[in-house]
Amino acid sequence: MKKRILTILTILISAITFACSCDIPKSILEFESAEYVFEGKVISKIYANDSLTYTVTFEISKHYKEGDNPATIEFTFKSEGKYTGEWTSCDWSVNKDENWLVYAAYWKEKLTFGYFCSNSKPLGRRTISKNEQKILDNGNSFKLENYIYQFEYDFNYTKPVSDIDSVLKTGKIKDYEKPFTWLKLFVDKNGNLNSVTTHTGYQLKNDSIFNLPTEFEIKLRKPLTEFEKDAIELVKKIPKWEIKKHKKTNIPVPYIRHLSIEYDKEKKEWKYEL
């Protein structure tokens, strides 16, 4: 019986741990996409007549983002499970008298904010770290185009403009010993391919305030194999890529693209995967 209870508890804990797992965006990018970033206290919480939603009002003590600075802001959320009859491990709520740091943005024309997948947080349970405070204090001077991006969800997914299939058909036909590699491509804000190297053959220099890369430098940790050399030269023939832009501001930015290249010995053809 004890083993059964332990198994059930393990399953429940695992469900709670993984159900809401997600990458919290870098705080400066959430700052950039937000309409408001502020610290405030919840001065009221009012449930709708059917109790299925509630509206909270924040009294703002400090605005971080330049622009319109209202003294109060309201948000409406789905009510807790005891009112709706629906419970998930992702449930969270906002309560009266709580102090919060909020990154608020418009979603489907509604001003709102999140918790599990956001840098928004009730102050007390989660505190503002020194690094985040530095970002908040300097957020208005941030310039998107001065940094290099990779996997951030605030941007569009890019593909090559050049015909990659036609380029691969010009690849060398050889009996390579290890015919596979992961490559890193550095593309500028105009969509021009600047550099190509292996997935370990580069170094990034990060900004000290926002912790984002500002420089991409090829720095090989080991000699290139014959296949890697030929693969790099082949990929360099794909000069044009789609421009990467920030979804809210439409600002173009430089970025790193990841590309796997292999040579099929049996079919004698080059293949790739983005």
Side-chain angles (χ1 to χ4, degrees):
M1 184 67 178
K2 290 182 178 179
K3 289 184 177 179
R4 184 179 179 185
I5 293 174
L6 182 60
T7 301
I8 292 172
L9 286 173
T10 301
I11 293 172
L12 288 173
I13 292 171
S14 298
I16 292 171
T17 302
F18 296 108
C20 287
S21 62
C22 58
D23 293 328
I24 297 176
K26 294 181 183 297
S27 52
I28 185 56
L29 294 181
E30 190 167 10
F31 185 102
E32 185 72 12
S33 297
E35 190 71 20
Y36 302 103
V37 180
F38 65 84
E39 288 182 45
K41 181 177 181 178
V42 182
I43 57 175
S44 72
K45 181 176 182 177
I46 301 173
Y47 287 88
N49 291 333
D50 59 8
S51 296
L52 297 181
T53 63
Y54 64 85
T55 298
V56 290
T57 302
F58 279 90
E59 183 176 65
I60 313 302
S61 57
K62 184 173 185 177
H63 277 282
Y64 285 105
K65 192 158 186 177
E66 291 178 352
D68 179 30
N69 294 326
T72 61
I73 300 180
E74 291 185 350
F75 301 93
T76 298
F77 297 104
K78 181 179 178 181
S79 293
E80 299 86 346
K82 64 181 180 180
Y83 297 107
T84 64
E86 300 174 1
W87 287 269
T88 74
S89 58
C90 295
D91 289 346
W92 61 279
S93 62
V94 183
N95 299 301
K96 188 178 179 182
D97 295 328
E98 288 181 339
N99 293 299
W100 279 71
L101 169 65
V102 174
Y103 293 74
Y106 282 100
W107 172 254
K108 296 182 179 179
E109 300 182 355
K110 174 187 175 184
L111 186 65
T112 188
F113 66 92
Y115 173 59
F116 285 110
C117 302
S118 168
N119 289 286
S120 297
K121 48 188 159 277
L123 300 177
R125 281 184 282 172
R126 293 170 64 187
T127 58
I128 303 176
S129 67
K130 289 183 179 179
N131 287 338
E132 185 175 12
Q133 188 64 60
K134 185 164 58 174
I135 289 169
L136 291 169
D137 293 338
N138 292 276
N140 293 295
S141 65
F142 177 69
K143 301 293 184 184
L144 272 165
E145 61 273 26
N146 291 345
Y147 301 89
I148 302 168
Y149 304 90
Q150 297 189 62
F151 305 110
E152 296 81 5
Y153 72 88
D154 306 270
F155 303 86
N156 59 301
Y157 179 84
T158 60
K159 297 180 181 180
V161 174
S162 305
D163 188 346
I164 190 169
D165 293 311
S166 296
V167 171
L168 293 184
K169 288 179 181 179
T170 67
K172 295 178 181 179
I173 308 300
K174 292 183 181 180
D175 186 22
Y176 295 105
E177 184 178 349
K178 295 180 179 179
F180 177 85
T181 186
W182 283 96
L183 298 179
K184 300 286 185 176
L185 288 62
F186 177 53
V187 182
D188 68 22
K189 64 181 181 180
N190 296 312
N192 299 311
L193 178 64
N194 278 4
S195 305
V196 183
T197 188
T198 63
H199 70 289
T200 60
Y202 72 103
Q203 180 175 291
L204 294 175
K205 181 179 179 181
N206 280 18
D207 172 85
S208 61
I209 295 177
F210 304 116
N211 195 31
L212 287 172
T214 57
E215 294 181 19
F216 178 96
E217 178 185 0
I218 292 180
K219 192 170 185 179
L220 298 177
R221 299 180 184 178
K222 60 180 181 179
L224 295 174
T225 65
E226 182 182 18
F227 176 75
E228 287 173 335
K229 290 178 182 177
D230 288 348
I232 288 172
E233 289 307 310
L234 193 57
V235 172
K236 285 181 178 179
K237 297 178 182 179
I238 310 168
K240 293 298 294 183
W241 288 71
E242 291 177 343
I243 295 174
K244 193 179 189 75
K245 295 182 179 181
H246 187 249
K247 291 180 180 177
K248 181 180 179 181
T249 63
N250 211 35
I251 293 175
V253 298
Y255 64 95
I256 296 171
R257 197 68 174 84
H258 308 263
L259 181 69
S260 68
I261 293 285
E262 67 174 305
Y263 176 70
D264 189 322
K265 291 184 179 181
E266 292 184 2
K267 295 182 179 180
K268 291 183 170 53
E269 62 181 29
W270 289 74
K271 298 180 180 179
Y272 76 97
E273 186 174 335
L274 290 171

